[in-house]
Amino acid sequence: MEKQNEGVEVVENGNDTLLRKTDAALFAWPWKNLGNYKYLLYGPFLAKFMHSMYWKESMEDIWCLHILILCALRGLVHQLWSTYSNMLYLNRTRRMSQQGIDYEQIDNEWDWDNFLILQAIVGSFVYLNFPSLANLPLWDVRGLISCLILHIGISEPLFYWMHRLLHSSHPFLLYHWHHHESKITHPFTAGHATFLEHLLLCVVIGIPTLGTAFIGYGSISIMYSYILAFDFLRCLGHSNVEIIPHSLYQRVPLLRYVIYCPTYHSLHHQEMKTNFCLFMPLYDMLGNTLNTASWSLHKEISSRTSTDERAPDFVFLAHIVDIMSSMHAPFLFRSFSSVPFSTRLFLLPMWPFAFVVVLTMWLKTKTFLFSFYNIRGRLNQTWIVPRAGFQYFLPFAVEGINKLIEEAILRADRIGVKVISLAALNKNEGLNGGGTLFVNKHPNLRVRVVHGNTLTAAVILNEIPRDVNEVFLTGATSKLGRAIALYLARRRVRVLMLTKSTERFMKIHREAPVECQKYLVQVTNCKEAKQCKTWIIGKWSTPREQSWAPSGTHFYQFVVPPIIPFRRDCTYGKLAAMRLPKDVTGLGTCEYTMGRGIVHACHAGGLVHLLEGWTHHEVGAIDVDQIDVVWEAALKHGLKPLYNSS
């Protein structure tokens, strides 16, 4: 999409190009600039109901409560469909489009729920003008029949012809392109449309519901069931996941003309010249706009099995960091997962539920697919080991975690994955020796197992200014700490290595070239670094330990989770990370606290391993001689350090 001038955009879809006026009448939403404050527009409904109930001691304004409940339920319908649509581990084989939804589409659909506010306001006008609607009975069976007749006989053909008009007439097409700018359908795409289009949808929904009420057969149940069913079917059509089995259409052939399926509507979004119906393909058949490929494509997609699935080229094997961050998932809150993780107030009430889910996964859950993206024709996936960070430090959990990691590696090997990169604690030295356990146990692995720490070390080392001549290093005898210390010693940088183990220190000391050994110095407490302004943190640091750093100190870190920045007079770096190349497509989630398009260095290290076509495993101790090699390879393939990622 390219901006041409104020209020006009060029929109491209396939072979079609159109100038769209974004400042046209009834295009934008009236509360567009309110942001999240738009939800205050629900306030008058609550206030009016509360005033009627507690001050008037009357239920005359119960309709306000019904509107609020109905909006909440409709939002829940869309959210549940979004959850299912993003559960790749359940539905990846039955997805119409195998592409991922990127940040741009997520941002475009951010305010998908605007229509709920609109219809709440429209509903209030209807109730105020027709007070008798507030006294509808709970149920009237005649209303069900009337509602279906009005929907099939009026709403369906009305929507069909309005939809065709929106596609065929240039002035109206300017509005409808807003809906079709979403490249991959998603339940939230159903609500992503202009103000004018949703005004028209109010008419489509209002005819069966209000029509039934005006002829005397209306009921509260009809209002709720029709509107919720309407949203359910809209979400189904935009879900990008085929859930209706082809065998059902084979057993009941007429059913294919009575209710559409996700495949059917996806063809409309792909071609935009067929399949215009609301829910009933019957009207496309009558209007001669039914895509003849609909049923064969539906059969092909609904019949897919796991053997038809494309194997990823690269897998990043991650794990849950903590309970709160476990809710930073696209199948929970898509918008929230598209921005860096941070603790939000709305997450707090859900913490107990998330805790129970994490513990339940401990009992019986295998590694599952979390997200994916594409780069240069290669499919890259993130798999999750269903264990939280605290579980990795429970002695009785070690064997089970290693078994899950081993099963993931063997599965990757079996399906043809080229590289699998171990994230964070999945490569913990005390857990599996940085992956050596699996490589030694299975010497004939075709998949390359990579810990990615070589690039992690390279990122940290290249962030440190060249004029620094002294650093303080915690976690100094760890895999990363050792490599950083040896590399800096070669650069003639004095390294204060925090460790109480003289044996471990001397082992690393002897690895350094003789002329560089004098630059490695053992220290046993943080107090000895009170004059050093460059701290590299590889082990959790308490407020007291941080207090020894002089004012102006910069804390580099490779500890997971990152330390809490207690010092206001110091600066804190984030975990080592790199920005992915610009030709990455389908990426719409953020990796923990990383920004958009940014991944942890160990993730980037595995990707470099794939792009370079290296055939060796990268496990165990870091080869210091390879740090610069991996760094140059990363830059060659378009990955960029964050301090220079413009």
Side-chain angles (χ1 to χ4, degrees), residues 455 458-459 462 578 626-635 641 643:
L455 186 56
V459 170
N462 280 278
M578 297 196 79
Q626 289 297 306
I627 291 177
D628 287 335
V629 174
V630 173
W631 176 253
E632 292 299 328
L635 298 180
Y643 58 83

Side-chain angles (χ1 to χ4, degrees), residues 54 90 132 195 213 215 247 301-302 320 421 548 556 593:
Y54 290 103
L90 291 180
S132 61
F195 186 67
I215 62 178
S247 58
I301 292 176
S302 61
I320 301 168
S421 181
W548 289 110
Y556 301 91
T593 58

Side-chain angles (χ1 to χ4, degrees), residues 10-258:
V10 170
V11 183
E12 295 183 356
N13 190 307
N15 297 322
D16 299 317
T17 302
L18 178 73
L19 284 177
R20 185 186 69 185
K21 293 184 178 180
T22 57
D23 59 353
L26 300 179
F27 186 95
W29 291 86
W31 44 86
K32 176 183 178 182
N33 297 322
L34 292 181
N36 287 336
Y37 291 109
K38 69 182 181 183
Y39 297 112
L40 294 177
L41 295 173
Y42 289 115
F45 294 93
L46 182 60
K48 186 171 179 61
F49 170 71
M50 298 294 287
H51 179 265
S52 175
M53 184 175 180
Y54 290 103
W55 275 268
K56 292 185 178 180
E57 296 184 351
S58 166
M59 298 297 285
E60 64 182 30
D61 293 323
I62 188 68
W63 59 270
C64 290
L65 181 62
H66 282 305
I67 285 178
L68 290 175
I69 293 174
L70 197 51
C71 286
L73 291 175
R74 298 180 75 184
L76 181 62
V77 167
H78 283 77
Q79 177 56 52
L80 291 176
W81 266 108
S82 174
T83 293
Y84 176 73
S85 178
N86 287 309
M87 286 181 168
L88 302 174
Y89 52 91
L90 291 180
N91 57 43
R92 60 185 180 275
T93 59
R94 290 175 286 107
R95 298 174 70 83
M96 273 72 74
S97 173
Q98 294 295 327
Q99 300 299 310
I101 295 177
D102 58 21
Y103 298 119
E104 181 182 3
Q105 179 172 335
I106 292 173
D107 288 344
N108 288 338
E109 296 176 351
W110 197 279
D111 293 313
W112 63 270
D113 58 347
N114 276 337
F115 77 96
L116 295 178
I117 299 175
L118 169 64
Q119 293 184 18
I121 294 172
V122 171
S124 68
F125 280 117
V126 172
Y127 273 111
L128 291 172
N129 284 281
F130 303 97
S132 61
L133 293 174
N135 302 311
L136 293 176
L138 182 62
W139 174 253
D140 188 331
V141 68
R142 296 171 299 178
L144 175 62
I145 299 172
S146 300
C147 190
L148 285 174
I149 292 174
L150 289 172
H151 174 83
I152 296 171
I154 301 179
S155 288
E156 281 283 350
L158 176 62
F159 179 90
Y160 173 80
W161 286 109
M162 285 195 310
H163 198 181
R164 287 195 66 172
L165 181 66
L166 287 171
H167 276 268
S168 61
S169 177
H170 183 73
F172 292 106
L173 188 55
L174 291 172
Y175 290 89
H176 195 50
W177 268 95
H178 188 58
H179 177 67
H180 279 279
E181 70 182 353
S182 296
K183 300 173 184 176
I184 314 298
T185 56
H186 180 274
F188 291 166
T189 308
H192 176 59
T194 59
F195 186 67
L196 174 63
E197 289 175 279
H198 276 294
L199 282 175
L200 296 175
L201 269 182
C202 287
V203 176
V204 173
I205 295 175
I207 289 172
T209 52
L210 298 180
T212 300
F214 290 151
I215 62 178
Y217 299 149
S219 67
I220 295 173
S221 298
I222 289 297
M223 290 287 186
Y224 274 80
S225 56
Y226 177 82
I227 293 173
L228 292 177
F230 189 94
D231 284 352
F232 181 90
L233 292 174
R234 289 268 293 169
C235 290
L236 179 146
H238 290 88
S239 66
N240 193 39
V241 180
E242 187 52 74
I243 66 169
I244 299 178
H246 186 70
S247 58
L248 182 61
Y249 284 157
Q250 286 181 314
R251 287 196 295 268
V252 189
L254 288 177
L255 189 62
R256 69 182 63 183
Y257 298 105
V258 176

Side-chain angles (χ1 to χ4, degrees), residues 577-634:
M578 297 196 79
R579 188 176 297 279
L580 290 170
K582 293 181 179 180
D583 53 351
V584 164
T585 60
L587 181 61
T589 59
C590 285
E591 203 167 272
Y592 192 37
T593 58
M594 299 292 119
R596 288 183 166 186
I598 298 170
V599 296
H600 292 89
C602 56
H603 182 150
L607 179 58
V608 170
H609 211 92
L610 171 72
L611 295 176
E612 280 292 303
W614 287 331
T615 57
H616 64 277
H617 296 291
E618 184 192 332
V619 295
I622 296 172
D623 184 348
V624 180
D625 293 329
Q626 289 297 306
I627 291 177
D628 287 335
V629 174
V630 173
W631 176 253
E632 292 299 328

Side-chain angles (χ1 to χ4, degrees), residues 267-291:
L267 281 172
H268 169 71
H269 275 261
Q270 291 172 24
E271 299 183 0
M272 300 193 301
K273 296 178 181 178
T274 57
N275 295 7
F276 294 100
C277 75
L278 178 56
F279 305 130
M280 300 179 66
L282 169 66
Y283 288 94
D284 277 309
M285 183 187 71
L286 295 175
N288 198 32
T289 55
L290 194 153
N291 192 312

